[in-house]
């Protein structure tokens, strides 16, 4: 008997896609991108995304402060809206709760959710409550919009384009490892990495700048890890890519912590998930201008890490040699 | 320490409502009705609802055929769209799955979901996959629309109006009892009741006829039980109501089964959940015309069961005497 373990996450996604396609004329994008896209009010597309956080798979209730969990549950959805160049507008919050949860815990969780919603002017207009004796689940649907001519998809990369990434990579995966291994957290370094795991910032402002630009841009957010998410852009654009690992942006904290832990920051940066940074791909003549504009207006560093090639392979290089990762990477524990 | 058991489902809903109100001008209805309502394309409102089915709380995986579960997971959402007079358009399907689930099981579930989606011309445009080692969860967000001047809310009941209900009540709750108690299911009677639990039909067509009518109508679907859901109309309209229990529509199968089981059909009809029939309230001069129109065009019986009164109480009467239920009813097991 074939199980989900046998076909994996992407096997199941393929099964689902085949089941529900094709779409009608009002559906611009179905299951193929960070958000579904349908015709919205005049001049706009409406964006839909949903993402759940499952106790034991995405968080451990005793290890995460509920105020931070409330923020993160919304952030992971806002990041998907950002990854289309969209503006988030509304959210639905679906809660699956055990009856012995304290009112104080859920109230603090909701305060965190509200804080993040207010920060991005998102109205929480509905949701659902359900009872369980099992794991807690927080499932959020986020609704956004984007101007019709400025929708940013994954399939827009072309040979010769440059690959850019915001912020620094791998910090969140290191933070999760610190948390799960109950490492000492009393230094600024560990606290920084933990915060990057607990409190990622959705790059909504960056997405908006990219959407305002008239240039052709392919865009995705990093939820499953840089290599895997860049892979989605390549596959859907039917191109390959070369990444220079020495250009991959790493925080001083990650480098320092990896030295002490005797592990390799590039493993975390390329295979660690939950960075919620953005990867975008654009022509060389647009890349530098966009990089400077984002750094200047938002204060977030943007780094050119590689370029798009013909073919379909994603190659990591160091000094023009193939780079071998030390591990198949950090298997973040949410996959099948 | 106060827990969710102490404040109950409605205490938690109040907490959530206070947290996320007030709303901006584009939000017509927030957490107060079957769906959230926001300004949509020209001339229309967009409707949003989400509803989850949780293993152990809403279904038992070994007792429900996956093809029927797939249909029901969408039906409960379509019923919320129907309860606003809306037309369903799109759905997002969020799956929280154990890796040992068989591909055949999930494929059959998806076939059921597709069958129901096709029946109502709903496009499944997105969703989410998450891993768990705990209970299965199916969380659906459904998106619909309704003409701006034909939105049907819960708060439109007025003193002197009549209370009407579609179909027959209590069958689904009896079906659930048969299932959970592993009663013999080999008779037509038990099969009928089981089917009413497994395969409720969302009253989308009825909702549409009501929305096309120019009359003032208050509308809700029955998910938690007739008494509780009628109570929402009364509370939000700030009125009371009298229901004549002898008029409550009961199936012959429920009456016959209750005779054998030595229990009371009205307990199931008034307190049993998951009927997914509609309750609507309208002025006497519109009631009979709407009743006939629905029966004629859809073939579903509609029964006048009571009327709206001043005050805030919901009274059940039999031969003009207060009617006492034999039990506080069927506590369907999804509440806190």
């Amino acid at each position: 008997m074939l199980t989900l373990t046998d076909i994996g996450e992407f096997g199941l996604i393929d099964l689902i896609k085949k089941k529900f396609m094709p779409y009608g004329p009002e559906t611009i994008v179905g299951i193929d991108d960070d958000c579904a896209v349908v015709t919205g009010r005049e001049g706009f597309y409406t964006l839909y995304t949903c993402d759940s956080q499952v106790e034991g798979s995405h968080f451990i209730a005793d290890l995460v402060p509920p105020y931070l969990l409330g923020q993160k549950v919304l952030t992971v959805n806002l990041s998907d809206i950002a990854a289309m160049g969209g503006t988030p507008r509304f959210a639905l919050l679906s809660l699956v709760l055990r009856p012995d949860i304290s009112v104080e815990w859920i109230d603090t969780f909701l305060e965190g959710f509200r804080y993040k919603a207010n920060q991005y002017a998102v109205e929480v207009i509905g949701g659902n409550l359900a009872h369980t004796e099992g794991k807690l689940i927080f499932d959020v649907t986020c609704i956004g919009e984007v101007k019709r001519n400025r929708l940013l998809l994954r399939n827009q990369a072309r040979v010769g384009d440059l690959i850019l990434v915001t912020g620094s990579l791998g910090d969140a995966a290191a933070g999760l490892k610190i948390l799960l291994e109950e490492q000492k957290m009393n230094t600024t370094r560990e606290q920084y990495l933990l915060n990057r795991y607990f409190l990622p910032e959705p790059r909504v402002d960056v997405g908006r700048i990219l959407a305002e630009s008239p240039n052709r841009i392919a865009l995705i957010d990093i939820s499953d890890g840089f290599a895997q998410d860049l892979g989605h852009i390549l596959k859907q654009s039917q191109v390959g890519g070369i990444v220079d690992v020495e250009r991959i942006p790493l925080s001083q904290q990650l480098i320092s912590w990896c030295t002490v832990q005797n592990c390799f920051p590039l493993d975390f940066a390329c295979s660690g998930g939950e960075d919620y940074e953005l990867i975008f791909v654009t022509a060389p003549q647009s890349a530098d201008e966009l990089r400077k504009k984002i750094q200047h207006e938002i204060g977030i560093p943007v780094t050119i890490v590689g370029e798009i090639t013909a073919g379909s392979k994603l190659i990591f290089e160091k000094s023009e040699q193939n780079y071998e990762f030390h591990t198949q990477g950090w298997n973040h524990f949410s996959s099948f």
Side-chain angles (χ1 to χ4, degrees), chain A:
Chain A
M1 188 190 68
L2 215 56
T3 68
L4 295 184
T5 305
D6 299 317
I7 65 168
E9 180 181 359
F10 294 106
L12 181 53
I13 290 174
D14 278 346
L15 182 72
I16 292 172
K17 272 165 64 169
K18 277 181 202 139
K19 200 74 82 185
F20 297 120
M21 281 167 69
Y23 296 113
E26 284 192 65
T27 300
I28 314 303
V29 178
I31 301 175
D32 266 326
D33 217 299
D34 295 282
C35 294
V37 184
V38 303
T39 306
R41 66 186 173 109
E42 204 182 343
F44 287 83
Y45 289 131
T46 305
L47 307 172
Y48 296 113
T49 183
C50 65
D51 223 320
S52 57
Q53 297 280 303
V54 180
E55 186 181 19
S57 297
H58 299 92
F59 68 92
I60 294 164
D62 291 341
L63 294 181
V64 56
Y67 187 72
L68 303 188
L69 183 61
Q71 291 187 56
K72 187 163 179 179
V73 162
L74 183 53
T75 286
V76 300
N77 283 275
L78 297 177
S79 184
D80 281 321
I81 300 282
M84 309 296 284
T87 301
R89 298 294 312 279
F90 304 104
L92 307 175
L93 175 57
S94 179
L95 304 169
V96 180
L97 301 172
R98 286 186 297 272
D100 64 351
I101 293 285
S102 81
V103 174
E104 187 187 353
W105 193 93
I106 198 72
D107 189 62
T108 311
F109 170 90
L110 291 169
E111 276 298 319
F113 196 88
R114 173 164 74 174
Y115 174 83
K116 193 54 71 179
N118 286 348
Q119 191 185 341
Y120 289 96
V122 170
E123 293 187 40
V124 184
I125 56 174
N128 189 61
L129 294 180
H131 160 280
T132 188
E133 293 299 333
K135 309 284 188 195
L136 305 182
I137 314 243
F138 302 99
D139 198 4
V140 173
T141 297
C142 197
I143 300 142
E145 61 180 9
V146 64
K147 283 191 186 145
R148 288 196 193 181
N149 57 350
R150 293 314 305 147
L151 178 67
L152 299 180
L153 301 176
R154 295 176 176 179
N155 66 6
Q156 294 297 305
R158 302 288 177 265
V159 175
D161 282 355
L162 298 180
I163 302 165
L164 297 93
V165 68
T166 62
S168 62
L169 303 185
D171 297 336
L176 177 57
K177 197 169 195 300
I178 290 167
L179 188 71
L180 291 178
E181 295 181 356
E182 300 181 50
Q183 296 183 11
K184 276 188 222 153
M185 303 176 192
N186 52 359
T187 70
T188 314
R189 180 181 66 206
E190 275 78 7
Q191 276 301 326
Y192 171 87
L193 296 170
L194 266 176
N195 274 340
R196 292 273 291 166
Y197 169 71
F198 277 142
L199 271 181
E201 197 60 46
R203 299 304 186 197
V204 173
D205 295 341
V206 175
R208 201 177 292 137
I209 285 181
L210 294 174
E212 283 165 5
S213 148
N215 303 301
R216 175 180 48 73
I217 296 167
L219 182 61
I220 194 170
D221 72 323
I222 305 180
S223 51
D224 295 330
F226 172 71
Q228 185 169 312
D229 290 316
L230 175 57
H232 292 308
I233 285 185
L234 302 185
K235 190 177 175 196
Q236 293 190 27
S237 302
Q238 297 181 285
V239 294
I242 293 182
V243 171
D244 179 351
V245 296
E246 293 187 297
R247 293 200 190 179
I248 289 176
L250 304 171
S251 70
Q252 284 309 311
Q253 291 88 341
L254 179 65
I255 294 168
S256 158
W257 175 81
C258 281
T259 307
V260 175
Q261 295 286 318
N262 199 25
C263 57
F264 298 89
L266 283 170
D267 293 345
F268 288 84
C270 294
S271 306
E274 303 213 68
D275 290 314
Y276 299 106
E277 298 292 350
L278 295 178
I279 304 170
F280 65 98
V281 170
T282 191
Q285 56 273 29
S286 343
D288 215 49
E289 181 200 325
L290 283 168
R291 192 178 65 79
K292 285 182 183 150
K293 191 174 167 70
I294 291 165
Q295 290 193 182
H296 180 255
E297 291 189 18
I298 322 275
I300 292 169
V302 177
T303 313
I304 297 169
V305 296
E307 69 177 85
I308 299 298
T309 58
S312 61
K313 280 197 183 144
L314 171 55
I315 296 164
F316 288 87
E317 283 190 352
K318 184 175 181 178
S319 310
E320 297 184 11
Q321 302 285 315
N322 265 7
Y323 178 79
E324 298 289 335
F325 290 96
H326 297 78
T327 145
Q328 263 313 301
W330 178 251
N331 266 314
H332 71 111
F333 59 174
S334 68
S335 59
F336 287 116

